[in-house]
Amino acid sequence: MSDLPFTFVVPLPGALPSRVDNHIQRRLSAMQGQFLDQVTYGKMLAEDDRLVYEVYEIHRPEIAGELLMGISIVHPGKVGREFYMTKGHFHTVIDTAEVYYCLEGEGFMVMETPEGETSVEPLSPGKVLYVPPRWAHRSVCSSRQQDLITFFIYPGNAGHDYGTIEQLGFRKLVVDGEHGIEMIDNPRYQGR
Ligand code: PA5
Ligand code: NI
């Protein structure tokens, strides 16, 4: 891998980067156990393994000192009342931060610490979000028509810990409620 400075462009609209080293596509089948309404999840999956989100990564060595960048695209859609979202994760090296820059669409970043502190930040074009060290993070697309597109950058040694979130999900859920978009407590955390 070259260590020379480089540039790439992220043309709008669309935000498909001019340089892509890896393209990840996550479908409903990759989101087992994540959506609250498991009955609707099962029905939807039986019909079609829909595409939920995509990530375009620019490769750099996964070591401290490097920065990993890419574009995340969460498509519009819902499972029951819950909007499409990324799996979400803690960083394996938990005291590593991340920056997101929203390019298109509307949505939220759902975040929490291992101690149970929570934060849900709205995302819209032009907004920069700083995810501090120790905060797990998940992007949620709350638009009915438009993709939520963000640019992200994080330390090369951060890694992804999906396992913790896979157990119960996040403490807060973003749903299409009776009175519009609502942040609700995840019932799976009741009594914990
Ligand atoms: O590291 C990040 O936070 C992003 O690159 C995410 O990996 C991306 O948004 C996809 O989400 P996830 O890794 O939770 O599937
Ligand atoms: Ni991350």
Side-chain angles (χ1 to χ4, degrees):
M1 194 175 294
S2 161
D3 273 326
L4 295 174
F6 64 91
T7 64
F8 59 95
V9 289
V10 182
L12 298 176
L16 289 188
S18 62
R19 170 175 171 171
V20 174
D21 298 316
N22 190 31
H23 179 204
I24 300 166
Q25 293 189 306
R26 289 231 218 271
R27 298 181 176 276
L28 271 184
S29 55
M31 304 289 287
Q32 203 80 44
Q34 294 295 302
F35 290 100
L36 187 62
D37 185 346
Q38 282 298 299
V39 175
T40 302
Y41 173 83
K43 283 185 189 154
M44 286 176 69
L45 188 55
E47 279 168 17
D48 183 16
D49 194 5
R50 293 172 177 82
L51 185 59
V52 178
Y53 66 97
E54 303 178 64
V55 183
Y56 293 92
E57 294 179 326
I58 287 94
H59 275 170
R60 292 299 306 166
E62 295 186 8
I63 54 173
E66 287 283 348
L67 293 169
L68 304 182
M69 297 173 284
I71 296 287
S72 158
I73 303 180
V74 186
H75 296 300
K78 287 186 289 183
V79 175
R81 295 195 305 148
E82 202 175 2
F83 294 107
Y84 277 9
M85 60 198 186
T86 60
K87 281 173 74 108
H89 56 267
F90 286 95
H91 288 162
T92 313
V93 178
I94 197 165
D95 57 355
T96 51
E98 182 154 349
V99 169
Y100 278 85
Y101 179 47
C102 182
L103 298 170
E104 288 184 12
E106 300 291 332
F108 296 88
M109 190 69 75
V110 177
M111 294 167 282
E112 68 183 47
T113 64
E115 292 74 30
E117 244 181 308
T118 62
S119 171
V120 181
E121 280 294 327
L123 294 174
S124 56
K127 193 170 275 193
V128 177
L129 169 69
Y130 181 69
V131 182
R134 307 188 82 256
W135 286 78
H137 40 283
R138 157 182 283 168
S139 322
V140 178
C141 173
S142 59
S143 162
R144 280 164 206 279
Q145 302 97 19
Q146 237 192 326
D147 292 333
L148 174 69
I149 307 184
T150 51
F151 171 82
F152 59 79
I153 180 161
Y154 61 95
N157 63 325
H160 294 85
D161 162 18
Y162 292 104
T164 309
I165 295 299
E166 274 168 3
Q167 288 169 26
L168 290 177
F170 279 73
R171 286 174 166 80
K172 295 285 179 189
L173 308 178
V174 185
V175 300
D176 197 3
E178 281 170 25
H179 308 291
I181 297 168
E182 293 172 15
M183 270 50 96
I184 62 166
D185 290 330
N186 180 352
R188 293 163 79 193
Y189 274 88
Q190 260 163 22
R192 280 172 192 268

